[in-house]
């Protein structure tokens, strides 16, 4: 039995970014007085300062924590997000939308794409997009909550403000916050488990269970415990980003944009009070100066901040729970932000940890199960991300030529070929991205199935016409009845507009 194999009454969260406060808020709310929870963070070090686009499970996370949505959106200057608009990914000039919604109507034996493909083979010219409520609403800039959660959405939010909201909750629920830089991580001599964090001031924060939320530094899990890291740069070659905030130009749209350029892509995320922008690129093919010039040349409003330069390595920590330390957030690994999956992985890790919270001894079986489940999530997301780069027809730059011809994991190759040959996609276990996500991105990137399920042919031509026509009309009619997104946000959760900071003095490239 090691020193840490006792009831983990004292839980210490190292780091107070989105990961630290998401973990602290959820643990404090769920576990209440059964744990003694302390979070250590350093204002002097600060947070990564990005991470504003989310995916729908965050709605559930906030509901689980009992967060009032309108108040939360007001406090975080949030807008609604219905998906991501991808420009120039398949080819320069191409465009597709990955929406959060269902498209058309599935049959239990076959997804809607099979019926749409049958229609296409029989002369129906309508786009697959026309059958998806969220997609059509997004492109028309409309939004409203709908009965029975029929509109599937996420948020675009200010991550610094989100951490503040979570901090207030966590502190109200009994979490303690300690300010200061962690200078040393103390280990038990015999077991090697973490015993305490020692701050610059000399203060020691002891615990039985430690959450490493120190971001890319991975102070506990890597710098102290050397859990190891699998580097996936060969599959996900972007390794740098520059972020900048700008004034909004026009009302916020209910979607995030991902605009490909010749060595990566650029994001645009509209919040209520400003927009987040960033250029993600591969430093092998684009210099920092050229990347900055490109970003500044392609932002819409006045810049409000100085550029924030970030370096990262896509990959995963080999053991996310190791000894008495659980890595949550960027310390556990990072895959570039194309599909806004990082905050979601924080959510999964936190909920998983709460489900596996040790009662007495830390069980090696819990650790193994946690690591297996986290790893499986990560691999599935990794494959989905690689798809965007691999399935491209672009060959107009060395970056895209590399992506188009790179080796890919067998799991992804199987998924692509299965879809190409049969139109089928299978969601395995608790895979994050549903069938329709894969279908939208595969077709958007130019992979068109050669066949479809024979059940689609059960429909006579007039029945198929009626089915497709009705589905399309219902979507069009419903969207026409929705309010404009910006007006809806203002009514539902409009935040006071803060005084704009002086525009950063910088030349536009
Ligand atoms: P950080 O924000 O870096 O926080 C680390 C914390 O540890 C800070 O409080 C810091 O003060 C503290 N700390 C570190 N060292 C010490 C020390 N020695 N002593 C005391 N405290 C210390 N995710 C999404 O879901 N959607 C997105 O759109 C998205 N976009 C992204 C774009 C880019 C370019 C990058 C790099 C990431 C993006 N992410 C996105 C990921 C997202 O930003 C992170 O997952 C999220 O912010 C969590 O970060 P974190 O809390 O793990 O780390």
């Amino acid at each position: 039995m090691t020193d840490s194999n006792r009831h983990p009454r004292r839980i210490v969260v190292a780091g107070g970014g989105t990961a630290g406060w998401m973990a602290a808020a959820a643990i404090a709310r769920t576990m209440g007085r059964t744990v003694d929870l302390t979070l250590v963070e350093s204002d002097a070090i600060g947070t990564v300062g990005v991470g504003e686009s989310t995916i729908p499970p965050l709605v559930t996370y906030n509901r689980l924590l009992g967060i009032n949505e309108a108040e939360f959106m007001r406090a975080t200057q949030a807008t609604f997000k219905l998906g991501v608009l991808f420009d120039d990914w398949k080819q320069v000039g191409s465009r597709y939308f990955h929406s959060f919604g269902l498209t058309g109507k599935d049959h239990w034996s076959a997804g809607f794409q099979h019926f749409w493909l049958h229609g296409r083979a029989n002369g129906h010219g309508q786009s697959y997009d026309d059958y998806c409520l969220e997609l059509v609403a997004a492109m028309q800039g409309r939004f409203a909550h709908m009965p029975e959660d029929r509109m599937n959405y996420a948020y675009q939010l200010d991550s610094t403000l989100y951490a503040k909201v979570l901090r207030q909750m966590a502190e109200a629920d009994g979490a303690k916050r300690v300010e200061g830089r962690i200078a040393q991580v103390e280990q038990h001599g015999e077991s090697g488990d973490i015993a305490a964090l020692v701050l610059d001031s000399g203060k020691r924060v002891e615990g039985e269970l430690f959450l490493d939320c120190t971001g890319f530094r991975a102070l506990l899990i890597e710098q102290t415990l050397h859990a190891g890291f699998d580097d996936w740069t060969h599959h996900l070659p972007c390794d740098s980003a520059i972020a900048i905030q700008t004034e909004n130009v026009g009302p916020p749209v209910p979607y995030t944009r991902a605009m490909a350029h010749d060595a990566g892509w650029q994001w645009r995320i509209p919040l209520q009070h400003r927009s987040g922008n960033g250029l993600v690129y591969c430093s092998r093919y684009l210099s920092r100066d050229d990347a900055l010039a490109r970003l500044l040349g392609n932002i819409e409003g006045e810049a409000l901040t100085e550029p924030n330069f970030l370096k990262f390595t896509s990959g995963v920590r080999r053991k996310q729970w190791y000894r008495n330390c659980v890595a949550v957030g960027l310390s556990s690994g990072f895959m570039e932000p194309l599909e806004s999956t990082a905050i979601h992985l924080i959510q999964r890790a936190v909920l998983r940890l709460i489900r596996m919270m040790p009662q007495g001894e830390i069980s090696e079986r819990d650790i193994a199960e946690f690591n297996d489940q986290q790893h499986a999530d990560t691999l599935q997301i990794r494959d989905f991300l690689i798809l965007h780069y691999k399935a491209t027809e672009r060959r107009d730059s060395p970056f895209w030529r590399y992506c188009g011809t790179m080796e890919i994991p067998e799991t992804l190759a199987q998924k692509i070929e299965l879809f190409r040959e049969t139109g089928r996609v299978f969601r395995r276990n608790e895979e994050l991205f549903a069938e329709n996500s894969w279908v939208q991105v595969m077709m958007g990137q130019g992979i068109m199935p050669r066949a479809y399920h024979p059940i689609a042919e059960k429909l006579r031509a007039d029945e198929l016409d009626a089915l497709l026509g009705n589905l399309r009309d219902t979507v069009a009619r419903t969207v026409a009845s929705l309010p404009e997104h910006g007006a809806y946000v203002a009514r539902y959760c409009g935040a006071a507009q803060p005084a704009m900071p002086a525009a950063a003095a910088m030349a536009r490239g």
Side-chain angles (χ1 to χ4, degrees), residues 15-20 40-42 45-48 50-53 180-182 213-217 219 241 267 269 310 312 328-331 334 337 340-344 346:
T18 307
V40 182
E41 69 175 321
S42 161
I45 293 177
T47 63
V48 71
V50 281
E52 305 189 320
S53 193
R181 197 184 72 90
I182 302 159
C213 301
T214 61
F216 288 129
R217 287 178 186 80
L219 204 60
W267 79 73
I269 306 172
L310 299 138
F312 56 84
V328 181
L330 297 172
S331 64
F334 178 62
S340 331
T341 42
I343 292 175
H344 176 73
I346 297 173

Side-chain angles (χ1 to χ4, degrees), residues 38 53 70 101 122 148 175 250-251 270 275 306 308 312 390 393 445 470 494:
T38 305
S53 193
N122 285 280
E148 294 161 16
S275 289
E306 291 292 340
N308 176 10
F312 56 84
K390 175 69 181 177
E393 293 167 13
Q445 294 279 153
N470 284 341

Side-chain angles (χ1 to χ4, degrees), residues 22 38 55 174 215 249 321 385 397 434 482:
M22 277 181 81
T38 305
I55 52 176
V249 177
W321 185 343
L385 294 177
S397 67
L482 298 175

Side-chain angles (χ1 to χ4, degrees), residues 1 18 26 48 56 70 75 94 110 122 135 147 154 184 188 190 201 223 228 231 237 264 301 327 349 352 441 451:
M1 189 196 237
T18 307
V48 71
S94 69
N122 285 280
L135 195 158
Q184 197 199 334
H188 287 288
E190 216 171 280
S201 61
Q223 290 192 39
D231 183 333
R352 224 162 239 153
V441 174

Side-chain angles (χ1 to χ4, degrees), residues 108-278:
W108 66 264
S109 64
F112 176 71
Q113 72 273 16
H114 296 276
F115 298 89
W116 177 80
L117 287 164
H118 178 50
R120 191 165 168 265
N122 285 280
H124 284 264
Q126 284 82 10
S127 161
Y128 186 71
D129 293 357
D130 294 351
Y131 301 86
C132 178
L133 174 67
E134 287 80 353
L135 195 158
V136 176
M139 294 320 293
Q140 292 188 21
R142 293 172 188 266
F143 180 87
H145 289 92
M146 295 191 56
E148 294 161 16
D149 287 335
R150 265 184 55 219
M151 185 77 94
N152 212 8
Y153 63 87
Y155 310 111
Q156 302 170 131
L157 51 79
D158 183 321
S159 58
T160 309
L161 298 176
Y162 186 40
K164 261 192 200 160
V165 168
L166 294 166
R167 175 180 162 186
Q168 275 167 8
M169 275 181 57
E171 289 185 322
D173 286 337
K176 294 184 288 276
R177 174 182 180 272
V178 174
E179 161 64 33
R181 197 184 72 90
I182 302 159
Q184 197 199 334
V185 179
E186 246 180 48
Q187 289 173 270
H188 287 288
E190 216 171 280
S191 66
D193 286 357
I194 294 174
L197 307 180
V198 185
L199 310 190
D200 273 341
S201 61
K203 184 181 171 70
R204 291 178 82 251
V205 183
E206 294 180 354
E208 280 84 47
L209 184 66
F210 289 81
L211 271 57
D212 186 344
C213 301
T214 61
F216 288 129
R217 287 178 186 80
L219 204 60
L220 283 63
I221 196 80
E222 195 59 56
Q223 290 192 39
T224 307
L225 297 179
H226 312 293
F229 187 80
D230 285 332
D231 183 333
W232 289 339
T233 312
H234 51 294
H235 290 316
L236 295 169
C238 290
D239 58 3
S240 309
I242 310 174
I244 196 164
Q245 298 171 4
T246 56
E247 281 179 2
N248 274 343
V249 177
V253 291
Y255 56 86
T256 292
R257 288 188 70 176
M259 300 165 272
H261 60 80
D262 64 14
W265 60 281
Q266 179 179 341
W267 79 73
R268 189 173 294 156
I269 306 172
L271 313 184
Q272 291 186 42
H273 60 322
R274 61 161 174 83
S275 289
N277 307 268

Side-chain angles (χ1 to χ4, degrees), residues 230 232 235-236 316 320 335 345 371-386 409 411-412 415 431-433 438:
D230 285 332
W232 289 339
H235 290 316
L236 295 169
V316 67
Q320 299 190 21
M335 289 175 284
L345 282 169
N371 284 334
D372 270 4
Q373 291 187 16
Q374 282 294 119
H375 199 62
D377 284 350
T378 313
L379 291 178
Q380 287 168 339
I381 292 172
R382 176 201 66 177
D383 282 4
F384 191 60
L385 294 177
I386 298 171
T411 40
L412 175 59
K415 212 149 191 160
E431 179 168 353
L432 171 61
F433 289 106
W438 284 92

